[in-house]
Amino acid sequence: MTGTDTGVGKTCIAAALLHGFAASGLSCVGMKPVAAGCDWRDGVAYWGDVEQLIAASSVQADPAWVNPYRFEPPIAPHLAAAQAGVTIQLDKIVAACRALQAQADVVVVEGAGGWLVPLNAQHSMADLASQLGLPVILVVGMRLGCINHALLTAAAIQQSGVPLAGWVANQIMPDMPAFDANLVAIQTHIAAPLLGVQPWFATPDQNNVVLHLNLDAVLNC
């Protein structure tokens, strides 16, 4: 699971997919290889996106597999890692994912930021996706500028040689002008199926979000 940017609803869509898979009888688990940015609750660090994926999973796996790397500052992963004196190792993430795959029918892996966000001096999220060998779902944050962001990201995914399984249009701007026209423009130029159109929700709920996703199409990716 990748997105056109940070804050476009990757975690919300990923958790809804997990919720839907679990409801259909599949064992499933979410994975957030790298999380950057936490809240503090009673003096305890809390990574909301990680916890949301865990709550939506039907398999309660080792937290070190679900989230191999977590950092406090809400900045790019390679910068957060450098501040912590850590180098993000792709081999460690791949091994954790393989362990999760042995425990569940479906593993939903949510990336950090966008497709080309660096993880270390040599590798990006695109390199991780390539090593994992999983089909990619692109979440497009539907707002002004989304056509360019969507087409650039889709092109980059396809150039990486990783399968673009499909994309989800997530209306993150409630009063977006020409929403339908933007949707058609993206759909016309991306050679991958549209897996769902998420209307804007003031407070997204997995039960509502999953209704707008084509779970069968996702499973057949």
Side-chain angles (χ1 to χ4, degrees):
M1 182 79 64
T2 191
T4 47
D5 200 349
T6 190
V8 296
K10 295 188 303 296
T11 303
C12 179
I13 301 300
L17 287 175
L18 290 166
H19 179 78
F21 295 147
S24 67
L26 293 169
S27 60
C28 58
V29 62
M31 181 185 189
K32 181 78 174 181
V34 183
C38 68
D39 297 320
W40 290 90
R41 300 183 178 182
D42 298 324
V44 177
Y46 178 87
W47 283 263
D49 45 2
V50 176
E51 295 303 322
Q52 192 172 340
L53 294 178
I54 290 173
S57 300
S58 65
V59 172
Q60 298 306 303
D62 187 332
W65 295 344
V66 171
N67 177 221
Y69 292 98
R70 57 177 61 186
F71 305 103
E72 180 180 343
I75 55 179
H78 71 296
L79 299 178
Q83 287 187 9
V86 173
T87 299
I88 296 172
Q89 302 288 342
L90 269 59
D91 289 350
K92 178 178 178 179
I93 297 172
V94 172
C97 184
R98 299 295 178 249
L100 293 175
Q101 288 174 316
Q103 292 192 336
D105 297 321
V106 182
V107 179
V108 177
V109 182
E110 182 198 342
W115 181 247
L116 293 178
V117 166
L119 293 177
N120 54 44
Q122 293 81 33
H123 302 109
S124 69
M125 287 302 310
D127 297 308
L128 175 59
S130 179
Q131 290 198 24
L132 291 176
L134 300 176
V136 175
I137 295 173
L138 170 62
V139 178
V140 176
M142 298 297 291
R143 58 187 174 198
L144 295 176
C146 65
I147 296 176
N148 182 57
H149 292 158
L151 302 189
L152 283 173
T153 305
I157 293 170
Q158 291 164 335
Q159 288 170 5
S160 298
V162 181
L164 176 57
W167 64 287
V168 175
N170 187 25
Q171 188 173 359
I172 59 176
M173 183 179 179
D175 54 352
M176 178 184 178
F179 176 88
D180 291 338
N182 278 267
L183 182 68
V184 170
I186 298 171
Q187 193 169 12
T188 299
H189 290 91
I190 290 185
L194 175 60
L195 302 174
V197 179
Q198 289 296 322
W200 183 80
F201 292 112
T203 305
D205 177 86
Q206 292 172 10
N207 293 306
N208 293 327
V209 173
V210 74
L211 295 176
H212 301 275
L213 296 171
N214 188 335
L215 293 178
D216 291 335
V218 174
L219 287 173
N220 291 327
C221 290

